[in-house]
Amino acid sequence: MGDGSQNIGGIEGGSGTDRASGTDRDRERGARGRTGWETRLPQWLRRRAREDAADTASDRVELLLATAGAGLPLAPAAHPAGFRCSCERIGCPTPARHPVSFAWQTQATHERATIERWADEQPEANFITATGMVHDVLDVPAPAGRAALERLLGEGPEVGPVAESGEGRMLFFTATRGTPEDEDEWWPCALDCHPETMDEHPGLRWHSRGSYVLVPPARLPDGLTVDWVRGPEHPLPDPLTLLEALADACARYADETDAHDRDSVAWPVRR
């Protein structure tokens, strides 16, 4: 009996040791598994970030080429650099919203190879399109623009490309009226807007000859963006077919705005 008890005790003792060893091995395997996963996770995240960045860059180039393919001439523009503009001008009045070159009007092109080269050499750059060559842009406060767009789509007039800026503006792209064959027939308009006079046109701005706007995809300070609502594949309409709906929407928007805010949304202010 004593020998049997010893054997039983030995068997029981051995089983306890085996179980302990098995538990240790399980813990070790689990630790190795966690260590391997923890090592691979940062690599996977970095790879995923690179893939996402590549996809974003590819989408950006495709959008720019589609815009140029519609005939809109493009040129590189500044972009956000932290809390500043990439132009590094102290107190830049239009951060990330202006062309890089002073020769932007002659530089602007819709040539595919040139735009691909610019996008590759300046991967963070925004792009502007020079108006008054192929197209004009009717630029209105976003609430008025949304109301006008709904009306226009309901009534049936042809509506071309439309973009929206995170700064609260909507851009309606139209055919140009700024480059007639006879220069004396150029149609001056009280709503004509040039970069240096934009503040004088807080309501409806008409970007024609000598002006420009940002084209999507564009990044602005504070994480704001410029994006297409209707893409550049839509034909450019005559601006006069949109003007009444946009003017009415701007007037209603001004009337609905509190009196102390009206100066910021009304028709062009004469100074």
Side-chain angles (χ1 to χ4, degrees), residues 2 6 12 15 21 37 41 56 58-59 75 84 89 95 98 104 114 122 159 180 196 206 231 250 256:
Q6 289 174 0
E12 290 177 350
S15 298
S21 299
W37 170 247
L41 180 59
T56 300
S58 176
D59 292 344
R84 298 175 292 105
R89 176 183 173 186
H98 61 82
W104 56 270
T114 301
Q122 306 174 63
V159 180
E196 64 274 12
W206 191 317
C250 284
E256 293 167 1

Side-chain angles (χ1 to χ4, degrees), residues 8 11-12 15 28 34 66 84-85 108 121 125 134 158 170 177 185 189 201 205 207 209 212 216 241 253 271:
I8 292 171
I11 291 170
E12 290 177 350
S15 298
E28 186 177 341
R34 286 193 300 274
R84 298 175 292 105
C85 180
E121 293 175 351
V134 174
E158 185 177 0
M170 284 190 81
R177 296 181 64 88
E185 293 180 2
C189 175
H201 302 269
R205 304 168 180 167
H207 297 270
R209 192 172 54 176
Y212 60 80
T241 62
Y253 178 53
R271 292 181 180 176

Side-chain angles (χ1 to χ4, degrees), residues 113-131:
T114 301
I115 292 166
E116 287 180 325
R117 175 172 56 81
W118 282 338
D120 182 61
E121 293 175 351
Q122 306 174 63
E124 296 187 24
N126 289 331
F127 278 76
I128 59 98
T129 179
T131 53

Side-chain angles (χ1 to χ4, degrees), residues 16 21 55 77 106 121 154 240:
S21 299
D55 290 343
T106 55
E121 293 175 351
L240 298 184

